[in-house]
Amino acid sequence: MKKKKMISIVLVSALFAMALAGCGGKKDAADDGKIKLEFFQNKTEAKASFDELVKKFNDANPNITVTQVNPPDAETVLKTRVAKKDVPDIIGIGATDTYAQLAKSGVFADFSDSGLTGNIQPAYLNMMNKLTGSEKVNGIPFTANASGVIYNKKMFEELGLSIPKTWDELMATAQKVKDAGKTPFYLTIKDSWTTLVPFNSLSTEIMGIDFYGERAEGKTKFDSPEFREVAEKQLKLMDFAEKDMYGKGYNDGNAAFAKGEAAMYLQGVWAIPEILKANPDASVGVFPFPGTNDAGRNKVISGVDTLLTVSKNTKHPEEAKKFIEFLLKSENVQTFIDQQKAFSAVKGVNQSDASVQGFNEAFESGAIEDFSDHYIPSAVKADTIIQGFMQKKDIDAYVKQFDTEWDKVAARK
């Protein structure tokens, strides 16, 4: 017993010493004197690009160590962590409803007087202010993405097809592809989020982005002729898709398009690196999705893909700001957009990749508009509503479900 007691005392002492050591490791600065910062970002496909930039920053700042965290279902993880008051120091996230709600709740720092906005494209700052309904700057736009139609240039050339500018031209193009025995559109309905790509174009172009603000104020409903037109056109696209569209997901779509299995792919520019990774020789281009027969109303859907922000309660605000300043340097933004085929929110940094030149005219003329799903409360689960509709094809039920789910969310606020 005495021996066991002595061992217990030793063990307790050892554990106590370990606990003290552990406490020391949790200090603001690590044992080696370095300040540790967590950079939480939500884009899985951008992990390697951010790893490269994080390493570059850490090498240039020996007193700071930034560590990237990139979990699956990152927005849900972030909301859970916020609820537990475990907010990462630095956050990279899209300008979505999740960002808007967190910004409104006061989670993020205010950058209004930080000096970080001077070189940012005003259009993207305006989008973010419109999203949050505030003049505060709670996040700095870093990059923008864009969605529309990715097309197989070689197949278009072989079939003598031109770029459609209107909805009727798009349908005529699809019919010519189908008549040639090929698949016009590759749809990936198995992954619900992919259904948002054509939905965003159709709803924004047909109804206008202001519809969602009016819906939030109770001034309008989804049960309208315009939204029914959106629904009818969503179903029409399915007439020109591959047979197993319900069983195919995003990765399947990238691989299939890389192999030349369809003429058009309703996706965003973020898919292009994956397509080219699967087939570096793929002949890829893009054009704006023409959702109406008024070419002037048809736009490139583009929004803030990644904004950079800082926890209001980080213990190292200056070091966190320094990391954001580093990312916003022109050469670092250029590196990122070159790898990700994205567009810069920073002035003077341009996307020159040949695969996305089909969007340049729209960007230069200002014919761009935000993603409509950014204005739909995340709790409505628009993607699953759309996925269910594309399976059941019941327009009346679709319209009713959107209004019902929106009203449920509004009632909880």
Side-chain angles (χ1 to χ4, degrees):
M1 288 291 295
K2 202 169 186 180
K3 188 175 181 183
K4 288 183 180 179
K5 189 175 181 180
M6 287 293 294
I7 292 173
S8 298
I9 292 171
V10 172
L11 285 172
V12 170
S13 298
L15 290 170
F16 183 67
M18 289 171 66
L20 287 175
C23 289
K26 291 180 181 178
K27 289 180 181 177
D28 293 347
D31 292 338
D32 58 6
K34 291 186 177 183
I35 290 171
K36 291 185 176 180
L37 295 173
E38 180 186 3
F39 172 46
F40 181 106
Q41 69 89 14
N42 71 323
K43 289 176 65 66
T44 302
E45 64 271 26
K47 184 178 184 303
S49 296
F50 275 125
D51 276 341
E52 181 179 327
L53 292 172
V54 165
K55 183 180 185 304
K56 183 179 176 183
F57 176 84
N58 288 342
D59 289 346
N61 295 274
N63 64 317
I64 305 172
T65 298
V66 174
T67 301
Q68 179 185 180
V69 175
N70 177 231
D73 198 9
E75 286 196 11
T76 300
V77 172
L78 179 59
K79 287 187 284 188
T80 301
R81 289 187 57 176
V82 168
K84 294 180 178 179
K85 301 188 184 306
D86 178 29
V87 186
D89 300 289
I90 308 157
I91 299 161
I93 190 174
T96 64
D97 178 66
T98 295
Y99 162 74
Q101 294 306 315
L102 293 177
K104 290 175 185 177
S105 69
V107 172
F108 306 132
D110 183 1
F111 297 95
S112 300
D113 299 320
S114 67
L116 292 175
T117 62
N119 208 29
I120 303 298
Q121 296 283 2
Y124 293 116
L125 287 170
N126 292 338
M127 281 182 187
M128 289 176 60
N129 289 339
K130 188 174 183 179
L131 186 63
T132 61
S134 171
E135 292 302 312
K136 284 186 177 180
V137 181
N138 291 121
I140 308 297
F142 177 55
T143 60
N145 59 15
S147 69
V149 183
I150 301 174
Y151 73 104
N152 185 317
K153 288 183 175 180
K154 185 177 180 181
M155 191 180 296
F156 262 55
E157 185 178 341
E158 289 173 349
L159 297 178
L161 304 174
S162 56
I163 301 300
K165 303 291 186 182
T166 66
W167 171 259
D168 284 349
E169 289 177 6
L170 179 65
M171 292 300 98
T173 299
Q175 188 62 55
K176 289 178 182 178
V177 175
K178 190 173 183 178
D179 291 344
K182 299 180 184 296
T183 301
F185 300 116
Y186 204 94
L187 299 184
T188 53
I189 301 175
K190 182 180 178 181
D191 286 339
S192 61
W193 72 266
T194 68
T195 65
L196 290 167
V197 177
F199 172 84
N200 281 331
S201 290
L202 288 166
S203 62
T204 296
E205 292 168 3
I206 293 170
M207 300 190 300
I209 199 70
D210 290 338
F211 166 85
Y212 293 97
E214 294 171 2
R215 182 65 183 86
E217 295 171 3
K219 295 179 179 178
T220 189
K221 293 276 190 179
F222 283 93
D223 191 2
S224 66
E226 291 80 11
F227 190 71
R228 286 178 178 273
E229 181 184 346
V230 172
E232 289 165 0
K233 288 180 174 178
Q234 284 179 282
L235 294 182
K236 186 64 177 176
L237 292 171
M238 297 171 68
D239 292 341
F240 297 100
E242 79 279 9
K243 291 181 180 179
D244 190 22
M245 68 188 93
Y246 300 110
K248 300 299 183 183
Y250 176 65
N251 292 333
D252 300 312
N254 294 339
F257 197 78
K259 294 176 184 175
E261 293 182 15
M264 293 172 281
Y265 187 29
L266 306 181
Q267 261 300 343
V269 294
W270 53 82
I272 294 176
E274 300 303 312
I275 292 168
L276 296 177
K277 192 183 299 180
N279 178 12
D281 297 323
S283 182
V284 176
V286 294
F287 61 84
F289 184 109
T292 76
N293 282 326
D294 180 353
R297 290 172 59 188
N298 300 329
K299 304 189 177 173
V300 169
I301 303 303
S302 175
V304 178
D305 185 39
T306 297
L307 61 88
L308 303 169
T309 188
V310 171
S311 167
K312 184 176 69 175
N313 295 320
T314 179
K315 294 178 180 178
H316 305 290
E318 292 305 315
E319 290 80 5
K321 180 185 173 184
K322 186 174 185 178
F323 180 65
I324 290 180
E325 289 175 335
F326 167 83
L327 290 179
L328 292 174
K329 288 183 178 179
S330 296
E331 64 269 25
N332 295 328
V333 180
Q334 191 74 59
T335 294
F336 188 88
I337 68 168
D338 286 348
Q339 292 177 2
Q340 294 297 312
K341 303 296 184 285
F343 297 87
S344 171
V346 176
K347 295 176 184 176
V349 182
N350 301 309
Q351 177 55 266
S352 59
D353 191 279
S355 65
V356 297
Q357 293 307 295
F359 284 162
N360 275 358
E361 183 179 342
F363 273 94
E364 289 168 3
S365 66
I368 61 174
E369 191 55 88
D370 203 355
F371 294 82
S372 56
D373 72 292
H374 287 182
Y375 298 83
I376 300 174
S378 57
V380 170
K381 299 188 183 300
D383 57 330
T384 57
I385 292 176
I386 298 167
Q387 184 187 51
F389 164 61
M390 296 181 80
Q391 293 168 337
K392 297 175 183 177
K393 303 181 181 181
D394 185 335
I395 293 178
D396 288 335
Y398 180 47
V399 170
K400 183 178 180 180
Q401 188 176 11
F402 249 120
D403 276 325
T404 299
E405 293 303 316
W406 191 296
D407 289 338
K408 283 181 184 177
V409 172
R412 292 199 293 267
K413 290 184 177 179

